[in-house]
Amino acid sequence: MDRTKIRVFSEDEVVISEGQRNTEMYKIVSGQAAIYFDYGKENEYLVGVLTDGRCFGEIGLLTGKPSPFSVVAVSSLMVLGIGADDFEGFITEEPKNAADIMRNLAGTVVTMGANVNLLKEEMLQAFSDKADDKRVEQINRSILRYKVSGMQGSPYFSKLT
């Protein structure tokens, strides 16, 4: 088991690209990494900045799905790359790593939930002047349906319904 894949990224270098599959997760050894939606586009949105000891890329590693965001080096960034074959050992040999990953995932869920709520408020505001109460309620139900459908495929979804 070789978890000593140290990688160095230069300032502004993209580590993970939104919409692409990544086969590793990373733990920051030194430096900072920024998380973006729509990085490099007109509507680019900074989600947050991660520092030493934080992990990222675990969503893609665990699900095999494309990354929902881009991660970019804010400064010179040194990370430990952990592949799927090394993931279990990474956690069992240092249980704190599991807690770090769970904190990151929880933060991602909270951030995405907040973003959905902000989008909902913007949509409702945009439609409130032009739509009747029935249409506003339909929009609310649609947003809730999208939030719930995003949980499908999660091993916990069946326990939530």
Side-chain angles (χ1 to χ4, degrees):
M1 190 173 330
D2 178 28
R3 284 180 309 286
T4 59
K5 298 175 200 158
I6 296 292
R7 303 212 173 163
V8 178
F9 295 89
S10 302
E11 182 176 338
D12 295 327
E13 189 173 352
V14 176
V15 181
I16 295 175
S17 295
E18 181 175 346
Q20 302 219 340
R21 294 180 195 271
N22 58 297
T23 58
E24 290 185 314
M25 65 162 277
Y26 302 93
K27 184 167 186 173
I28 298 175
V29 176
S30 66
Q32 296 180 323
I35 301 172
Y36 291 94
F37 289 118
D38 293 327
Y39 178 71
K41 298 178 182 172
E42 186 177 326
N43 57 340
E44 174 180 285
Y45 179 77
L46 175 66
V47 176
V49 177
L50 303 175
T51 58
D52 296 2
R54 299 294 304 270
C55 298
F56 61 91
E58 66 275 16
I59 293 173
L61 179 71
L62 293 170
T63 66
K65 304 271 187 205
S67 178
F69 46 76
S70 293
V71 180
V72 181
V74 173
S75 59
S76 178
L77 178 67
M78 182 184 296
V79 297
L80 177 64
I82 298 98
D85 292 341
D86 297 324
F87 184 71
E88 280 189 41
F90 177 73
I91 290 172
T92 56
E93 290 177 14
E94 184 60 56
K96 182 182 178 311
N97 289 328
D100 290 342
I101 292 167
M102 286 189 282
R103 268 192 284 284
N104 288 340
L105 289 171
T108 299
V109 168
V110 168
T111 299
M112 289 186 173
N115 287 339
V116 167
N117 286 331
L118 288 172
L119 178 60
K120 174 185 166 185
E121 293 303 317
E122 286 180 23
M123 287 177 59
L124 291 175
Q125 184 63 39
F127 287 113
S128 65
D129 297 334
K130 300 174 185 166
D132 59 24
D133 289 341
K134 183 177 178 183
R135 180 66 182 133
V136 170
E137 184 54 36
Q138 286 175 326
I139 293 167
N140 263 325
R141 282 196 307 274
S142 292
I143 291 169
L144 179 60
R145 187 171 54 248
Y146 287 120
K147 286 173 76 172
V148 170
S149 69
M151 291 188 290
Q152 290 179 356
S154 163
Y156 307 107
F157 183 72
S158 60
K159 295 176 187 174
L160 296 172
T161 58

